[in-house]
Amino acid sequence: MSTYNPCTMKIMYSWLLGMIFYNGLFISTGTVASPRPDVVNIGAILSFNTSVGKAAKLAIEAAVHDVNSSPDVLNGTKLILAMQDTKLSSGFLGIVEALRFMENDTVAIIGPQQSVIAHIISHIANELQVPLLSFAATDPTLNSLQFPYFFRTTQSDGFQMAAVADIVGYYGWRDVIAIYIDDDHGRNGVSALGDKLAEKRCKISYKAPMSPKLSREEITRTLLKVNSMDSRVFILHISATWGLDVLINAAREMNMMRSEYVWIATDWLSTVLDTESSPNSAAMDSIQGVLTLRMHIPDSEPKKKLFSRWNNILTASNYTENSRFGLNTYGMYAYDTVLLLAHSLDEFLNQGGNISFSNDTSLTEFQGGRLQFDAMSIFDGGNKLRDIILRVNITGVTGNLKFTSEGDLFHPAYEVINVIGTGIRTIGYWSNSSGLSVNFSDPDKHNANSKQQLYGVIWPGQTTKKPRGWAFSNNNGRQLRVGVPNRINYREFVSRIENSDNSYGGFCIDVFNAAKEELPYPVQYKFVPYGDGHKNPVTLDLLHMITTGALDAVVGDITITTNRTKMVDFTQPYIESGLVVVAPVWKLNSSAWAFLRPFTPMMWCATGVYFLLVGAVVWILERRTNDEFRGPPRRQFVTIIWFSFSTLFFSHRERIASTLGRFVLIIWLFVVLILNSSYTASMTSILTVEQLSSPVKGIESLVTSSEPIGFQRGSFAENYLTDELNIHKSRLVPLNSIAEYEKALRDGPSKGGVAAVVDERAYMELFLSTRCEFGIVGQEFTKMGWGFAFPRDSPLAIDMSTAILTLSENGGLQRLHDKWLTRSACSSEGTKQGVDRLQLQSFWGLFILCGSVCLLALLFYLIKMIREYTRHSGQISPQSGRLRSFLSFVKEKEDHHHEEAEGKSESKSSRSIRDQRVHSNGRVHGEIMMTP
């Protein structure tokens, strides 16, 4: 049994009062934070011997020293930094070093430097809730929701690739070749580049991945491969360790640093040049004319102070004069990463955050092993610290440090640099808000409509002329294989020159040669004929040889159609040639009846009927009130005929008295005016233009008929007639030669020939130049052209199109056309009969209007007569005599009824006056009698 000890009880009582006081204070306020720790452990993972790592190492150490020396950041709490070297991007060592940090109660890790390691360590950070702040892992996929504890405190490669794509688009290149290291950093960066190029309608024509464990032999093999490609624009997205070796090899061994080559290196090259204080002169000679990017950091006071301290930092780190290096942009971002973490930790502690760790229950099954996984613990405040980092907003050496909702820093920007001589020259800037410009502007005040612009560039080969960006593949000096159709007719377009193996002439060949001469570079080629020489080759088969690689181009009379553009790329059309209809025609000679040609027979009949109709309607409306329309039947008939046809010349003299008659006449005179004007215009055309007549009026009459139609074998006209115009294939007759054309048209359908031939205008103009008995009837019913065919996405197709436009502007195309395709006077543009003769359908609206007015006037007149007849008769006549009585009433002159009515009215008035007089006389007489 224990004894009572007053001292012990006194101590316990004091401790209890202290606890009660402390807990009461905590409960009453509710915000009392745990005491600030004296130190906070942070880690850093980077490669010390790389251009990025050695500058970042000193920058991080300087930043930790500045934070610990400043009373304004952590309020007395010190940062304890532990750094680990990953030995030149070793992913395995990066994992091991990260695990070691997790055993030492580390609240955050600065790094890793490489994107490959960042992908792996981010999974560990997610599990243990430790933030990763990387100043150099630029892989754009690290921003995904998969890694919530990863923070990129530098610019993403997504923006850098957008800048590269803008440069490619600015200079007008379409295809590029990407050379990269086949790891997470390289693959994902090139993938982002492909997306950005697609927005500019450009593409990566070839990807050249290289092993992360690169060797000089692999560099040589890769350069040999890409040098055999057509594109001459190379995007080099590689690590700084091997980047210069690739460029030096390309320059010295592969001769790929001459004119017409373009090299765009990502920011690894600017990092190397900024870090190395005195680059090797031989290395500088090998990279002349290369373009590279550098993250743009605006000038500021913190930046100037850090640069002025840099030599002192190197001296304090025992770097000799010969081993010194410069401060690159990644070093500045590493410095700011420490500041960002320090301010975030300060806010974390101010909000009552507690630096504490707990065991990860998921690792208990690994207890007892040599790796000691159970020693790793979860940072209890990691989630809170992560949220604070996302909200941080400070100003550092690199400018404003603030994260967007996507996890990127605000206002990404790059400098566009040209390597010249012994140094570099900034030729412009790129920002996410304004694109390319020669002056960097405030991203918050940019002009979205500003013109994209860069200063002049000294390209590889010491030239200021912009490279075209592509060349024909080497292929052991193989010439361009140009297919030409071996035609048996229309040799004015394509034909083999006699006594020659590979020489061709004609309009199409001359245009191709003239366009080739306009190109700014030589093109070696040879013609490859296609066809057996007995019939015209099928154009689709010839174009299909381009898709299989058997031909590099096709030159000839190749029509550009929708289906063909799905197979190959065409140049700008160098001649227009739509489908037309050719049929036998004959000249319409002048005759005594030429005045009847302006109107068709149906139009003449309709016009005559309406003249008589209008005359009859006016006669009906006027005969009861107008003496000029009365008289014996013979006289009335002559009046109707005279009045009707005199309105044709507006010479009618009969007076129109009724309102309805005047209304009908006004409408009819308007119709006559239109008919007179149309007749005069058509007659003038007939008398001044040569007229041709043909039983075929155009494609419309061919479609509705059942007669056979000829077409050129192998042309697209067959598919057009069947697919677009729904003409049955049995009606189509393939023809091979000009002689077959002529024979089929002369024989006609009755003798086994054709009613017409449908072919392209360019062919038909040559055919008709010496055959006056045929002509083009109707209008051209398609609008197409001829072009030269090349493989899909061929840069040569674009340059040839530009050359064709140049020929068109300087008159070269017209001169070649006149040389080969000049037509004789016999050739006709087509029959005019179907166009000049006026059809009834052109005037049916006027005739309907006039007829409707006549019917309406007659209806009103009938209603008026019925009302007057009813009022005149005064009683209902027997049913048998009503119609006869009404017709008699209508035939009577209206003045007679007015006289009878006036007579009755006068009789009544006379009787009334007489009665008044009698009454008045009687009264007067009475008054006289009564007078005395």
Side-chain angles (χ1 to χ4, degrees), residues 22 65 140 166 187 219 258 341 381 460 510 595 622 670-671:
Y22 177 81
H65 176 270
D166 278 356
R187 284 192 303 271
I219 292 175
R258 63 181 189 273
L341 177 59
D510 282 4
F595 67 91
E622 293 291 324
F670 174 74
V671 174

Side-chain angles (χ1 to χ4, degrees), residues 25-63:
L25 179 62
F26 179 79
I27 295 172
S28 63
T29 61
T31 59
V32 173
S34 61
R36 273 180 173 264
D38 294 332
V39 295
V40 175
N41 295 324
I42 63 173
I45 303 177
L46 58 157
S47 299
F48 293 167
N49 293 328
T50 61
S51 298
V52 174
K54 60 186 179 182
K57 179 178 180 294
L58 295 184
I60 292 173
E61 292 173 345

